[in-house]
Amino acid sequence: MSTQVRYKEIYRALMRDIAEGVFSGGEKLPTEQALAERFGVTRQTLLKALNIMKLEGTLRSEQGRGTFVNAPAAPRPASGLRQLVYIASNLQESLAHRALVGVESAAHRHGFSLVTCNTRNDAEREAEYLRRARSGGAAGIILIPYFQRNRELALRIAAELPLVCLDNSFATDAIPLVASDNFRASYEATRHLIGLGHRRIGFLLTTLEAAREVDSVRNRFEGYRQALADAKLEFDPALISELGPALSHMRPSDVGLELFSYPAMNRLLHLPCPPTAVLLLWDELAPGAIAAIRDTRREVPRDVSLVGFNDDELCTLITPRLSTVRQDGEAMGEAAVRLLAERINRNAPIPPRTLVPSRFINRDTTASLTK
């Protein structure tokens, strides 16, 4: 298809998005690169369409800020569907999947239909689903956000219709959060290891950036540090090992379970004074960690104790069976729908935070320190 035809198609598609309220007046468009990828064209082809819309007054450019919509916001259509939209950062993750079971069950009980969207850890896709939920007349949105990139968009939409975040938040009381009590769960798991005599306890996570930006990761990290402090144990940054930026945006299936966390665990094991116990950010880090431990002629839990997080099915399928923290994802999903239903049906306020208890499951990967 010729460039001449493609830029006209892009023009029509963007004008339709604006007319339908996918992009509201005053709202910033996705980046030129993101739009070019969406339409499968070069940046030059995309710019032809954008330039026409700027000449017509539909769009405007702001130096250093991007391209914005001048058109007035389209009115949000009234919906007779009583529809909820569930937007998850990655439905392959066990928590997102279990939460969906709770969301679906509760939505049915409360008389809502349900649309499910999987952003695949893509911030632009997340933004598109949020806009379409708004323009499509959704009664409410449940969002597992991917980092903080769409904070301002989520705040604007939350001012227009009920929106609840699940598991992770945008660090604002303006958008309610339903989550596991990650701080308490991590604190208690660390205290369990301390009670077994461990004094050098590592923490294996995705990235330190995630510990700053992602609510659940930050709370687990802070729970770990607080447990150390309460036991008068010094925090040692050397005992924190990251998967790194590349692996942190992948799933274990992309590289293999026994390879995914292997390098990060291997680094801890080759410290001059390695940890005798390690907390894992998720259960799926366990196979790689166990492989690295065995390759250094150590055993779990004789030489290194491990504790995971989530209680995935793999916990009882690997050897030894993984001790972990069980999150009740189904209860989280049900709570999110219940809060939305109360807001939609009775205009009841939604509390800023609703925490669902977790439970430590002690299996075969923790033991008393013997050396």
Side-chain angles (χ1 to χ4, degrees):
M1 187 177 292
S2 70
T3 301
Q4 186 84 359
V5 174
R6 289 297 288 133
Y7 87 80
K8 291 181 179 178
E9 287 187 349
I10 295 167
Y11 169 87
R12 287 193 292 268
L14 290 174
M15 291 296 286
R16 184 169 57 248
D17 284 347
I18 293 169
E20 293 175 354
V22 175
F23 298 115
S24 296
E27 190 168 320
K28 182 180 177 180
L29 288 184
T31 64
E32 291 173 2
Q33 179 180 347
L35 286 172
E37 290 176 358
R38 170 187 166 183
F39 292 110
V41 298
T42 64
R43 185 169 171 270
Q44 287 74 18
T45 301
L46 172 73
L47 286 173
K48 287 186 177 182
L50 296 183
N51 287 336
I52 292 173
M53 296 174 75
K54 290 173 187 176
L55 288 171
E56 292 176 343
T58 305
L59 303 177
R60 71 179 186 277
S61 291
E62 295 187 11
Q63 185 68 32
R65 295 190 63 213
T67 302
F68 293 80
V69 177
N70 278 330
R76 205 168 64 86
S79 173
L81 296 176
R82 285 177 56 82
Q83 185 181 86
L84 298 182
V85 178
Y86 175 60
I87 305 172
S89 57
N90 194 334
L91 278 174
Q92 287 182 300
E93 293 178 348
S94 62
L95 179 63
H97 185 76
R98 290 203 300 266
L100 175 58
V101 174
V103 167
E104 190 280 329
S105 176
H108 181 265
R109 285 200 308 274
H110 288 279
F112 291 101
S113 61
L114 182 67
V115 173
T116 302
C117 307
N118 183 20
T119 70
R120 300 178 178 88
N121 293 337
D122 183 331
E124 293 291 349
R125 187 187 295 260
E126 177 182 276
E128 180 180 348
Y129 284 141
L130 282 167
R131 293 187 184 101
R132 291 191 180 280
R134 175 184 62 190
S135 66
I141 300 173
I142 300 167
L143 170 69
I144 301 180
Y146 180 61
F147 285 97
Q148 299 283 309
R149 291 171 176 80
N150 289 312
R151 184 178 188 274
E152 295 307 314
L153 174 62
L155 282 168
R156 287 199 301 273
I157 292 176
E160 300 175 27
L161 72 156
L163 190 158
V164 171
C165 281
L166 199 67
D167 188 43
N168 293 317
S169 77
F170 290 105
T172 169
D173 288 346
I175 301 178
L177 170 69
V178 175
S180 179
D181 192 345
N182 287 286
F183 178 92
R184 177 56 53 183
S186 180
Y187 181 91
E188 292 178 352
T190 307
R191 291 290 295 183
H192 171 78
L193 293 170
I194 294 170
L196 293 173
H198 297 278
R199 295 297 177 266
R200 288 188 61 76
I201 301 171
F203 195 106
L204 204 162
L205 45 66
T206 49
T207 63
L208 286 170
E209 179 192 11
R212 291 186 293 268
E213 285 199 8
V214 180
D215 194 75
S216 59
V217 181
R218 180 175 62 253
N219 288 331
R220 291 178 204 178
F221 191 55
E222 289 175 352
Y224 156 78
R225 292 197 60 174
Q226 189 62 54
L228 295 178
D230 288 352
K232 303 297 190 291
L233 297 177
E234 184 178 354
F235 169 69
D236 184 354
L239 296 179
I240 310 305
S241 191
E242 303 174 83
L243 295 183
L247 284 174
S248 68
H249 294 287
M250 301 172 69
R251 299 302 306 152
S253 57
D254 298 327
V255 294
L257 272 173
E258 292 200 351
L259 295 175
F260 190 55
S261 64
Y262 187 102
M265 188 68 198
N266 194 53
R267 286 193 295 273
L268 290 177
L269 297 171
H270 284 86
L271 291 172
C273 189
T276 60
V278 178
L279 260 66
L280 307 174
L281 187 62
W282 337 302
D283 296 329
E284 290 168 315
L285 302 179
I290 292 171
I293 291 166
R294 288 174 175 165
D295 283 354
T296 57
R297 300 182 183 278
R298 296 177 173 94
E299 291 296 329
V300 178
R302 185 192 67 194
D303 303 300
V304 183
S305 289
L306 295 176
V307 173
F309 217 103
N310 280 342
D311 197 27
D312 289 344
E313 289 183 2
L314 70 83
C315 292
T316 56
L317 299 177
I318 60 176
T319 304
R321 299 178 309 153
L322 184 65
S323 299
T324 188
V325 172
R326 176 177 294 168
Q327 295 193 95
D328 195 341
E330 192 167 339
M332 290 164 60
E334 290 182 347
V337 172
R338 185 187 72 251
L339 292 169
L340 285 175
E342 291 173 356
R343 175 65 180 277
I344 294 164
N345 295 335
R346 297 195 295 274
N347 201 30
I350 301 178
R353 280 181 176 256
T354 301
L355 296 182
V356 176
S358 300
R359 183 159 63 95
F360 181 72
I361 307 295
N362 193 20
R363 294 194 178 101
D364 306 329
T365 57
T366 65
S368 297
L369 187 64
T370 57
K371 59 180 181 180

